[in-house]
């Protein structure tokens, strides 16, 4: 799962974010061309250039957090399902079986 997430992030970076970041930096560099602009004007210009990229990165981050939350809930459900099956008189053989069920569910 971690490898798939890493591959997914790299694909988003290559397909979308990297181009956006390049454009952001080129835009910010253009902000410094006007030698008569005040420091505040240059900073506002740079911030405007950064806005779309920052919003896109935030969207990706939010989606990854939502996915991670869903994955965590799934693992907790797996744990609960196995705990419900295990009692004080559960044999080692059954515990081993349930451990395997949990690991399969978790993956």
């Amino acid at each position: 799962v971690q490898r798939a997430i890493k591959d997914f992030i790299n694909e988003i970076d290559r397909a979308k974010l990297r181009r956006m970041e390049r454009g952001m930096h080129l835009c910010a560099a253009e902000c410094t061309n006007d030698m008569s602009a005040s420091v505040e004007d240059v900073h506002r210009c740079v911030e405007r250039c950064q806005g779309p990229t920052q919003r896109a990165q935030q969207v990706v981050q939010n989606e990854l957090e939502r996915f991670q939350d869903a994955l965590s809930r799934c693992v907790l459900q797996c744990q609960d399902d196995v705990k419900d099956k295990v009692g004080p008189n559960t044999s080692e053989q059954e515990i081993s079986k349930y451990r395997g069920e949990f690991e399969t569910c978790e993956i």
Side-chain angles (χ1 to χ4, degrees):
V1 173
Q2 288 178 348
R3 192 165 126 220
I5 291 172
K6 188 175 182 179
D7 291 346
F8 175 71
I9 291 169
N10 283 330
E11 181 58 32
I12 289 173
D13 179 62
R14 283 197 267 335
K16 299 289 182 190
L17 295 179
R18 206 171 292 183
R19 263 186 248 140
M20 290 181 78
E21 286 182 17
R22 183 178 188 278
M24 175 190 70
H25 290 295
L26 292 172
C27 176
E30 286 294 318
C31 293
T32 63
N33 280 344
D34 184 358
M35 294 302 164
S36 65
S38 69
V39 171
E40 293 85 11
D41 289 341
V42 172
H43 283 267
R44 273 193 298 275
C45 179
V46 169
E47 286 174 0
R48 275 193 307 273
C49 294
Q50 293 172 340
T53 302
Q54 288 175 339
R55 284 189 296 277
Q57 289 171 334
Q58 189 62 51
V59 166
V60 171
Q61 184 64 35
N62 290 344
E63 288 301 315
L64 287 172
E65 287 173 8
R66 284 181 48 200
F67 177 77
Q68 187 63 40
D69 288 345
L71 193 59
S72 294
R73 285 192 306 275
C74 182
V75 170
L76 289 174
Q77 184 63 50
C78 291
Q79 286 175 335
D80 288 345
D81 291 347
V82 169
K83 282 180 184 178
D84 290 343
K85 295 176 182 178
V86 175
N89 298 324
T90 305
S91 70
E92 285 299 319
Q93 182 180 3
E94 288 174 308
I95 290 175
S96 180
K97 173 186 157 195
Y98 297 144
R99 185 175 293 124
E101 285 179 15
F102 170 73
E103 289 171 357
T104 301
C105 177
E106 182 183 38
I107 294 171

